């Protein structure tokens, strides 16, 4: 009968009557019995030894109880009481396989344990299967009749009445129909019940008040195996939903919850054991006690003097020893094997007890060496972990992945090392050493993690410093209406980029969202702090920035070319424009505007410092008018966001005007000087007077062209002197300085001009026809000669323009 459900079985009570409380608790946890509440059933089987009880249970409930090997003869197979969970049956059903009765192995103790186990089965079970041979029906000393009689008596004395189902399983049935066998069996059971001495309260209580009787018959397993299996399969169906009303388990009065089954069964067995008549230890037991103790002391002394143990103990003090556990186990097992060989014929209980004491003493002796080995193993594993962890991080693995992989790998390495050092006889708990190693690993990981996070945060903060400081400084230097929006846009872009990068980097650290959000928020605050710090730094240089801006706008035109004060420029307008731009810079630097809150700083500064009409009004009514800059805070601007207070702005503007006034004055002076130098024409009225009064002279020139030639030659000579003396340049620095300079240069320049003319006059004639030519017109000949001489002189002055300068 195949099933996929795993079978769990334990020895509930061993052959010496010891209750396996640890194993029972473990089984209950494995099958999750505590979750069943009251929905569980307990089935037990008892019967003669080698009557096929285990075989029946294995086929009926798919258990794995040990069965008798028929080829080795009939002997005891099950010792004590075994318990297992029935596979594939609902509700959860526990089955107990009791040691067979009438066995020859127990001898004189057989009857006591037989009664105790039977009573225990009846007390804790809902259904008790009584295995019996078909040919024993009707026999006085068969079918467990004396055992049932004793059980009925003791049960009523020890426990509250509980209705239990007794199912008599008739094995190897013959041709006699079950209908004929069942009445005989029921009659025998009733006789046993009637013969039992009952308490007064149960004198007239019928058997059906305590038990439900069921009778089934099965064919021979060895002769009719297929028919046996078919009958067992049909019988198995009766155990499904056995605790339901009308089910096989009966009314289940007084059933305990599943979570208390182990404790209840243990207490029941304790009561049963306490009611057993036990004799004092026999003489042979006392002898065994003394002798076994002597042997144990001899083996302990031999172990302490063992050379292999001494070398192993010495070696482990200085470092880890490969194969420590194997070597130590070999020495321990050798000593215990020698003890077993010498004490084998003594009483088993005494022998086992003294062996247990010897084990404890030996384990107490070797425990310090074992602890030293674990200490070396822990420290060595920790060092290897640190090296591997650093290598993994340097190899590019994510922090959490590297930490997890290295931790798992080296904890597994520690476990392997511990397995190599384990002492098999000891049940020592290595969890403390393992936990210490895990704490050390976690502490190292936490330390490296903190360092990596600090390094990572510092790198992104440095990137933000580099990405924000320069651009913010440049934007504040070119302060305008878009400065703070541009700074906010820059801050948002760089912050988002840094936060995104840090967030991606932190994904490898497997941290909780709260911590991650805290770090990202800290980075955002740092970025904002960089901008604010740079703004405060630039605010401290506001006056320098204002003067630089004023100088740039005032001294350069719209094409950024140096401005030449020719007299056509409107210095007042240029000054106003430059000062307005400087005031704009002051208003931009007056407060931090990283939020979307509006302010009226610029309007306040403009109305208080630039608006001349308002300034005049304030001057006239200085006593009664409120000064908007007479304050240490700006309206709608928190003090924490204020870079330059209104009072400081007023002071800076006053200092700015004083320091830029000289530049404006110089420009005005240069413009006036340029105007004087360029204004060489007479006034218009003088020109008109000259035209009116000199009309006759003009007509004379028209009538005699010779005068025109003389005037032209004179013009050329004057022009040559003008260029040679650089008269306009000399007078640019003032009339007095110009006159003094010209007085020193005039005579050398005239002498140079005359020398050039003389040289031209001494040049030989190149064409004889020209010298003998007839003079057709005296005036024309004279005018032509004069013209040629003037042209030559002008050319000579121009060519030798630098000569007087060298003379200077």
């Amino acid at each position: 009968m195949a099933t996929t459900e795993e079978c769990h079985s334990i020895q509930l009570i061993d052959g010496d009557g010891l209750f396996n409380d640890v194993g029972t608790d473990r089984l209950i946890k494995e099958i999750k019995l505590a979750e069943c509440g009251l929905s569980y059933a307990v089935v037990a089987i008892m019967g003669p030894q080698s009557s096929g009880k285990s075989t029946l249970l294995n086929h009926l409930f798919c258990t794995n109880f040990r069965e008798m090997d028929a080829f080795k003869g009939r002997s005891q197979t099950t010792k004590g009481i075994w318990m297992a969970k029935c596979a594939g049956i609902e509700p959860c059903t526990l089955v107990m396989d009791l040691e067979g009765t009438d066995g020859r192995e127990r001898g004189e103790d057989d009857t006591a344990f037989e009664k105790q186990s039977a009573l225990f089965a009846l007390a804790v079970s809902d259904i008790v299967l009584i295995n019996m041979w078909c040919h024993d029906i009707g026999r006085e000393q068969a079918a467990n009749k004396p055992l049932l009689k004793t059980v009925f008596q003791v049960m009523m004395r020890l426990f509250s009445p509980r209705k239990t189902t007794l199912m008599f399983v008739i094995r190897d049935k013959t041709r006699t129909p079950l209908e004929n066998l069942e009445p005989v069996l029921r009659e025998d059971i009733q006789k046993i019940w009637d013969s039992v001495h009952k308490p007064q309260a149960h004198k007239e209580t019928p058997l059906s008040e305590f038990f439900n009787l069921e009778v089934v018959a099965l064919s021979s397993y060895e002769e009719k195996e297929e028919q046996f299996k078919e009958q067992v399969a049909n019988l198995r169906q009766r155990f499904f939903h056995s605790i339901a009303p009308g089910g096989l388990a009966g009314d289940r009065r007084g059933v305990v919850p599943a979570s208390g089954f182990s404790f209840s069964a243990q207490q029941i067995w304790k009561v049963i054991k306490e009611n057993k008549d036990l004799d004092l230890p026999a003489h042979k037991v006392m002898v065994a006690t003394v002798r076994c103790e002597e042997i144990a002391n001899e083996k302990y002394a031999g172990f302490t003097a063992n050379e292999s143990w001494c070398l192993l103990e010495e070696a482990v003090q200085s470092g880890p020893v490969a194969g420590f556990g194997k070597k130590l186990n070999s020495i321990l097992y050798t000593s215990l094997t020698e003890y077993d060989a010498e004490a084998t014929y003594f009483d088993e209980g005494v022998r086992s007890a003294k062996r247990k004491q010897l084990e404890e003493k030996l384990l107490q002796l070797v425990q310090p060496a074992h602890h030293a080995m674990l200490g070396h193993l822990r420290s060595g594993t920790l060092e290897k972990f640190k090296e591997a962890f650093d290598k993994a991080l340097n190899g590019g693995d994510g922090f959490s992945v590297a930490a997890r992989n290295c931790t798992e790998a080296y904890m597994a390495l520690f476990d392997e090392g511990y397995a190599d050092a384990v002492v098999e006889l000891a049940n020592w708990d290595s969890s403390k050493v393992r936990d210490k190693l895990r704490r050390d690993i976690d502490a190292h990981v936490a330390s490296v993690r903190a360092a990596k996070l600090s390094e990572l945060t510092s790198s992104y903060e440095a990137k933000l410093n580099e990405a924000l400081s320069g651009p913010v400084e440049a934007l504040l230097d070119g302060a305008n209406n878009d400065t703070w929006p541009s700074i906010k846009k820059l801050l948002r872009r760089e912050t988002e980029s840094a936060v995104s990068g840090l967030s991606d980097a932190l994904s490898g650290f497997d941290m909780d969202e709260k911590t991650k959000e805290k770090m990202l928020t800290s980075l955002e605050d740092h970025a904002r702090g960089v901008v604010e710090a740079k703004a405060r730094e630039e605010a401290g240089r506001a006056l320098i920035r204002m003067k630089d801006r004023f100088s740039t706008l005032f001294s350069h035109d719209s094409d950024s070319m140096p401005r030449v004060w020719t007299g056509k420029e409107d210095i007042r307008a240029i000054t106003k424009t430059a000062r307005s731009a400087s005031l704009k810079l002051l208003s931009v630097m007056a407060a931090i505007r990283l939020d979307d809150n509006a302010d009226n700083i610029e309007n306040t500064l403009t109305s208080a410092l630039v608006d001349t009409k308002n300034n005049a009004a304030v001057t006239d009514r200085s006593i009664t008018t409120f000064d908007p800059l007479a304050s240490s805070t700006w309206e709608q601007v928190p003090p924490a966001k204020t870079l330059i207070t209104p009072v400081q702005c007023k002071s800076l503007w006053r200092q700015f005007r004083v320091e830029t006034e000289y530049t404006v004055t110089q420009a005005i002076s240069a413009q006036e000087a340029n105007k004087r130098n360029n204004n060489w024409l007479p006034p218009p009225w003088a020109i008109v007077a000259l035209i009116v009064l000199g009309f006759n002279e003009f007509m004379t020139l028209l009538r005699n062209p010779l005068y025109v030639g003389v005037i032209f030659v004179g013009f050329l000579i004057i022009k040559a002197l003008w260029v040679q003396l650089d008269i306009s340049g000399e007078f640019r620095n003032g009339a007095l300085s110009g006159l003094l300079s010209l007085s020193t240069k005039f005579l050398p320049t005239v002498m140079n001009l005359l020398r050039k003319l003389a040289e031209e006059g001494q040049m030989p004639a190149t064409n004889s026809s020209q010298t003998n030519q007839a003079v057709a017109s005296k005036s024309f000949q004279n005018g032509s000669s004069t013209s040629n001489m003037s042209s030559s002189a002008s050319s000579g002055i121009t060519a030798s323009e630098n000569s007087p300068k060298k003379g200077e």
Side-chain angles (χ1 to χ4, degrees):
M1 191 174 300
T3 179
T4 58
E5 187 175 348
E6 182 181 357
C7 176
H8 301 270
S9 64
I10 61 163
Q11 188 178 28
L12 182 64
I13 301 173
D14 63 15
D16 295 328
L18 296 177
F19 191 92
N20 185 7
D21 53 342
V22 176
T24 304
D25 292 338
R26 183 171 63 250
L27 174 65
I28 289 175
K29 289 180 180 179
E30 290 177 354
I31 65 176
K32 300 179 180 179
L33 180 65
E35 300 177 3
C36 296
L38 297 178
S39 299
Y40 75 100
V42 182
V43 180
I45 187 168
M46 60 169 118
Q49 179 177 300
S50 304
S51 61
K53 299 187 298 301
S54 299
T55 302
L56 174 60
L57 293 180
N58 291 340
H59 284 81
L60 184 60
F61 298 114
C62 301
T63 54
N64 58 358
F65 295 122
R66 182 183 174 192
E67 300 178 12
M68 184 191 72
D69 187 351
F71 293 99
K72 293 184 179 180
R74 306 182 71 83
S75 60
Q76 188 181 51
T77 302
T78 303
K79 294 182 180 181
I81 300 176
W82 286 75
M83 185 170 69
K85 178 182 181 296
C86 302
I89 292 183
E90 292 294 336
C92 178
T93 302
L94 301 177
V95 60
M96 294 190 300
D97 187 8
L98 274 63
E99 180 179 317
T101 60
D102 297 334
R104 61 181 175 84
E105 285 80 4
R106 282 195 174 271
E108 60 185 14
D109 290 333
D110 176 69
T111 303
F113 186 80
E114 175 184 306
K115 292 179 180 180
Q116 290 171 355
S117 61
L119 182 57
F120 177 78
L122 286 171
V124 302
S125 302
D126 299 295
I127 304 167
V128 178
L129 304 180
I130 300 179
N131 205 39
M132 61 183 301
W133 301 112
C134 181
H135 57 265
D136 282 344
I137 297 177
R139 295 173 58 188
E140 183 64 27
Q141 295 300 324
N144 300 309
K145 289 181 181 179
L147 178 61
L148 282 176
K149 185 176 181 180
T150 302
V151 167
F152 290 162
Q153 291 174 343
V154 179
M155 181 178 178
M156 286 189 297
R157 183 167 56 88
L158 292 179
F159 306 102
S160 300
R162 179 185 179 190
K163 198 165 188 177
T164 304
T165 297
L166 296 180
M167 177 176 283
F168 291 85
V169 182
I170 302 174
R171 305 293 297 274
D172 298 353
K173 74 171 184 175
T174 60
R175 294 182 179 180
T176 303
L178 179 61
E179 293 81 3
N180 297 335
L181 294 174
E182 184 175 350
V184 177
L185 182 59
R186 288 182 178 273
E187 183 180 351
D188 290 342
I189 296 172
Q190 186 63 45
K191 288 180 180 180
I192 295 173
W193 177 256
D194 294 338
S195 64
V196 169
H197 177 74
K198 306 178 185 65
Q200 189 64 33
H202 297 291
K203 282 289 186 181
E204 303 299 328
T205 304
L207 176 64
S208 59
E209 185 73 19
F210 289 94
F211 301 103
N212 289 328
L213 299 182
E214 297 285 342
V215 181
V216 295
L218 300 175
S219 300
S220 173
Y221 174 70
E222 296 179 355
E223 297 177 2
K224 301 177 181 179
E225 182 177 351
E226 294 300 326
Q227 188 175 358
F228 172 83
K229 291 181 178 180
E230 182 180 351
Q231 293 168 350
V232 168
N234 293 332
L235 178 59
R236 175 182 172 85
Q237 298 302 316
R238 299 186 63 184
F239 288 89
F240 281 88
H241 307 292
S242 59
I243 64 173
L248 197 59
D251 58 11
R252 290 170 53 81
R253 286 178 296 174
V255 63
V256 298
S259 60
F261 173 78
S262 175
F263 178 76
S264 175
Q266 187 175 358
Q267 294 302 312
I268 290 173
W269 180 250
K270 180 179 179 182
V271 172
I272 293 173
K273 290 287 290 182
E274 287 175 352
N275 279 271
K276 178 185 176 183
D277 242 356
L278 297 177
D279 297 329
L280 295 174
H283 178 71
K284 61 177 183 180
V285 174
M286 293 168 31
V287 172
T289 302
V290 174
R291 184 66 187 119
C292 288
E293 187 170 352
E294 291 176 352
I295 297 173
N297 291 335
E298 291 175 4
K299 298 309 168 187
Y300 180 80
F303 182 89
T304 56
N306 186 287
E307 183 179 359
S308 299
W309 157 245
C310 293
L311 293 176
L312 184 63
E313 183 181 24
E314 182 179 357
V316 80
Q317 299 304 322
S318 57
V321 178
F324 175 83
K326 184 177 181 181
K327 295 176 181 178
L328 183 56
N329 287 325
S330 176
I331 302 172
L332 288 171
Y333 280 127
T334 299
S335 297
L336 293 174
T337 302
E338 292 175 356
Y339 169 85
D340 291 337
E342 295 184 29
T344 185
Y345 296 107
F346 292 101
D347 181 80
E348 183 179 359
V350 176
R351 182 176 74 241
S352 299
K354 296 303 177 183
R355 190 183 194 276
K356 181 73 173 177
Q357 293 177 6
L358 175 61
E359 286 182 12
E360 292 175 353
K361 291 176 65 177
L362 292 175
L363 292 177
Q364 187 176 3
L365 177 65
V366 303
Q367 191 173 28
H370 183 257
H371 284 173
M373 179 64 191
L374 293 185
H376 295 314
L377 182 61
R378 182 191 62 80
S379 59
T381 304
L382 180 61
E383 292 303 320
K384 292 178 181 178
F385 168 82
K386 291 180 179 179
E387 295 176 4
F389 186 46
D390 291 341
K391 185 176 180 180
L393 292 179
N394 294 333
D397 292 348
F399 186 89
S400 296
V401 174
R404 181 171 57 253
N405 292 342
C406 290
T407 300
E408 292 176 355
Y410 284 90
M411 290 305 295
L413 181 64
F414 173 82
D415 293 338
E416 292 176 6
Y418 177 76
D420 181 62
V422 70
V423 179
E424 296 175 356
L425 292 174
N427 190 24
W428 292 329
D429 185 11
S430 67
S431 60
K432 291 184 178 180
V433 180
R434 195 178 192 278
D435 292 344
K436 179 64 167 62
L437 173 61
R438 185 57 185 262
R439 288 195 299 271
D440 291 343
I441 288 177
D442 291 343
H444 179 71
V445 170
S447 174
V448 175
R449 183 175 186 270
K452 290 292 183 182
L453 288 176
S454 177
E455 179 182 348
L456 192 63
T457 303
S458 298
S459 67
Y460 276 97
E461 288 179 352
K463 290 180 181 178
L464 281 175
N465 289 341
E466 182 178 356
L468 293 174
S469 296
V472 169
E473 181 177 351
L475 288 171
L476 291 175
D477 185 41
N480 53 47
N481 291 329
D482 295 330
T483 296
W484 283 109
S486 298
I487 291 176
K488 286 193 292 184
K489 184 177 180 182
L490 172 68
L491 175 62
R492 183 169 55 253
R493 183 179 70 247
E494 296 299 334
T495 301
E496 289 176 355
S497 176
V499 167
S500 176
L502 181 59
S503 178
D504 293 341
L506 292 179
S507 62
F509 285 84
D510 193 20
M511 62 174 56
D512 59 276
E513 288 298 324
K514 185 177 180 180
T515 304
K516 182 178 180 180
E517 187 64 28
K518 184 178 180 181
M519 292 188 66
L520 296 180
T521 302
S522 176
L523 184 64
E524 292 176 353
D525 294 340
H526 176 79
R528 191 181 185 97
V530 170
V531 174
E532 293 182 357
K534 177 54 68 173
R536 295 185 187 279
E537 179 183 344
E538 292 302 310
R541 296 198 291 263
L543 181 60
I544 299 175
R545 298 290 188 190
M546 291 168 63
K547 290 192 295 184
D548 290 344
R549 173 168 289 195
F550 177 85
S551 177
T552 300
L553 295 178
F554 187 80
S555 302
H556 295 78
D557 57 19
S558 59
D559 296 327
S560 299
M561 296 298 292
R563 197 186 299 275
V564 178
W565 303 106
T566 62
K568 299 178 181 180
E569 297 81 3
D570 187 353
I571 293 181
R572 182 180 298 277
I574 294 172
T575 302
K576 184 176 181 180
T577 301
R579 285 179 175 173
S580 297
S582 298
L583 186 66
K584 180 65 178 180
L585 187 145
L586 180 62
S587 68
V588 168
M589 289 189 175
I592 297 173
R593 299 176 178 88
L594 294 178
D595 300 323
D596 295 331
N597 299 329
D599 59 67
N600 58 352
I601 294 177
E602 184 177 1
N603 295 334
T604 303
L605 290 175
T606 302
S607 61
L609 301 177
V610 177
D611 193 341
T612 56
K613 294 181 179 180
N614 289 347
N615 289 342
V618 170
T619 302
D620 295 339
R621 301 189 303 273
S622 58
I623 299 177
T624 60
T625 304
F626 173 73
D627 185 357
L629 299 183
S631 174
S632 60
T633 58
W634 298 102
E635 292 184 5
Q636 301 176 343
V637 178
K641 303 299 181 183
T642 301
L643 298 177
I644 306 174
T645 63
V647 174
Q648 292 172 337
C649 286
K650 186 174 183 179
S651 176
L652 285 174
W653 184 254
R654 185 182 300 110
Q655 186 177 355
F656 165 76
R657 287 180 62 94
V658 170
E659 295 183 12
T660 57
E661 196 70 33
Y662 177 75
T663 303
V664 178
T665 303
Q666 287 294 99
I668 294 173
S669 299
Q671 190 180 59
E672 291 177 354
N674 191 287
K675 286 181 179 180
R676 288 195 300 269
N677 294 335
N678 292 332
N679 194 17
W680 53 274
L681 291 176
W685 60 269
I687 296 174
V688 173
L690 287 174
I691 294 174
V692 173
L693 297 175
F695 179 77
N696 295 331
E697 288 76 7
F698 179 71
M699 294 303 296
T700 302
L701 290 176
L702 289 179
R703 294 189 187 96
N704 190 357
L706 180 60
Y707 292 154
V708 176
V710 173
I711 293 172
F712 179 71
V713 172
F715 169 76
L716 291 178
I717 294 173
I718 294 172
K719 180 65 176 176
L721 289 174
W722 182 279
V723 173
Q724 190 71 19
L725 294 174
D726 190 19
I727 295 175
S728 60
E730 295 295 341
F731 279 94
R732 184 176 297 117
N733 296 324
L736 181 60
S737 61
L739 291 174
L740 292 175
S741 177
L742 288 177
S743 63
T744 58
K745 294 168 60 177
F746 180 76
L747 185 59
T749 302
V750 172
M751 295 300 295
N752 186 40
L753 179 61
L754 293 176
R755 187 174 62 255
K756 290 292 184 180
L757 291 175
E759 290 176 357
E760 289 293 334
Q762 295 176 1
M763 292 180 62
T766 57
N767 193 341
S768 57
S769 59
Q770 290 181 353
T771 56
N772 297 322
Q773 185 180 9
V775 179
S777 175
K778 183 69 174 179
S779 62
F780 174 78
Q781 185 178 10
N782 292 338
S784 177
S785 298
T786 304
S787 177
N788 289 336
M789 289 176 65
S790 299
S791 297
S792 298
S794 177
S795 298
I797 292 171
T798 303
S800 59
E801 182 177 358
N802 294 327
S803 296
K805 293 182 180 181
K806 291 179 181 181
E808 294 174 24

